[in-house]
């Protein structure tokens, strides 16, 4: 609440004319508080220093009051992802995992395994697919933000193969057949 009642006074300020910055700043500060006298003004008002110089060598310093301080907005530091988990001898399930945005895809798979019961000595692969095709096998060293939100992920869990073995994923997708009725014209 401004404690200056009635008409606010007009204050004409002098040029700096070689005076010290402290003296000029104090003059501008008094002028500001003669028009705006409140707790908010005392707590949240600051001054910008502005120096205008001429080619002739003269300069003038002013101190403008401000109450807005730009602050950065908080950024999203976490990402929630839905991943379909195809486990060892288990039915596929869909799980939701929240990880930091600077996490690696390896961390996503680790978070999925943390929730799994049973044998933890297994290997995993993250696959990105766009129905009905597998798009790519995702490198575990990639950062989470490289996965687009519309990408569908599947995490395949399998036992550690012996050295030099090749792991092949065989996928089968069942298509629902719908009866078609044809009418003769």
């Amino acid at each position: 609440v401004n404690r200056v009642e009635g008409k606010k006074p007009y204050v004409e300020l002098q040029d700096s004319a070689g005076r010290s910055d402290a003296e000029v700043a104090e003059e501008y500060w008094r002028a500001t508080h003669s028009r705006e006298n409140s707790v908010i003004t005392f707590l949240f008002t600051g001054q910008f220093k502005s120096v205008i110089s001429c080619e002739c060598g003269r300069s003038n310093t002013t101190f403008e009051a401000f109450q807005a301080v730009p602050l950065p907005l908080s950024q999203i530091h976490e990402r929630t992802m839905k991943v379909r988990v195809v486990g060892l001898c288990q039915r596929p399930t869909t799980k939701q995992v929240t990880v930091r945005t600077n996490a690696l895809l390896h961390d996503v798979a680790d978070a999925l395994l943390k929730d799994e019961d049973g044998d933890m000595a297994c290997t995993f692969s993250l696959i990105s697919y766009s129905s009905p095709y597998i798009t790519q096998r995702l490198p575990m060293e990639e950062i989470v933000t490289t996965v687009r939100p519309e990408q569908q992920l599947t995490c395949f869990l399998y036992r550690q193969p012996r050295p030099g073995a090749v792991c092949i994923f065989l996928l089968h997708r069942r298509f629902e057949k719908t009866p078609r009725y044809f009418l003769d014209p």
Side-chain angles (χ1 to χ4, degrees):
V1 176
N2 192 354
R3 292 179 279 213
V4 175
E5 295 179 8
K7 190 173 180 180
K8 295 179 182 180
Y10 173 76
V11 179
E12 190 167 329
L13 299 166
Q14 305 288 324
D15 285 346
S16 60
R19 295 183 292 160
S20 70
D21 284 349
E23 187 179 339
V24 176
E26 181 63 32
E27 179 184 353
Y28 274 83
W29 196 249
R30 274 190 259 114
T32 298
H33 287 295
S34 69
R35 297 178 54 82
E36 298 289 331
N37 186 0
S38 70
V39 173
I40 301 297
T41 303
F42 281 109
L43 292 176
F44 299 108
T45 301
Q47 290 180 314
F48 284 122
K49 178 183 176 182
S50 176
V51 179
I52 300 172
S53 299
C54 178
E55 290 178 359
C56 67
R58 284 191 73 210
S59 66
N60 187 36
T61 304
T62 59
F63 289 86
E64 298 295 324
F66 71 89
Q67 288 186 338
V69 178
L71 297 174
L73 297 175
S74 65
Q75 297 177 348
I76 299 172
H77 296 291
E78 290 185 337
R79 175 150 178 214
T80 301
M81 305 172 79
K82 282 187 178 180
V83 182
R84 186 171 181 181
V85 179
V86 179
L88 302 166
C89 302
Q90 295 176 0
R91 299 190 118 233
T93 59
T94 300
K95 295 198 174 191
Q96 196 164 320
V97 177
T98 302
V99 292
R100 297 189 57 81
T101 52
N102 62 350
L104 301 177
L105 290 175
H106 195 285
D107 299 323
V108 172
D110 284 345
L112 289 168
L113 290 176
K114 182 175 67 174
D115 291 341
E116 288 289 319
D117 294 330
D119 189 9
M120 296 298 280
C122 57
T123 307
F124 45 83
S125 289
L126 271 176
I127 306 293
S128 170
Y129 66 94
S130 176
S131 188
Y133 306 107
I134 290 180
T135 311
Q136 64 182 343
R137 180 172 185 235
L138 299 171
M140 292 297 164
E141 299 78 31
E142 278 194 32
I143 202 159
V144 168
T145 52
T146 60
V147 178
R148 294 183 312 277
E150 67 273 6
Q151 280 182 288
Q152 299 170 341
L153 297 179
T154 299
C155 181
F156 290 95
L157 305 176
Y158 52 93
R159 297 210 183 278
Q160 181 72 34
R162 59 182 188 274
V166 176
C167 189
I168 298 174
F169 296 111
L170 297 175
L171 300 177
H172 177 268
R173 178 166 178 163
R174 183 179 66 206
F175 289 96
E176 298 294 327
K177 291 188 177 182
T178 56
R180 296 180 191 253
Y181 300 98
F182 298 99
L183 300 174
D184 292 329

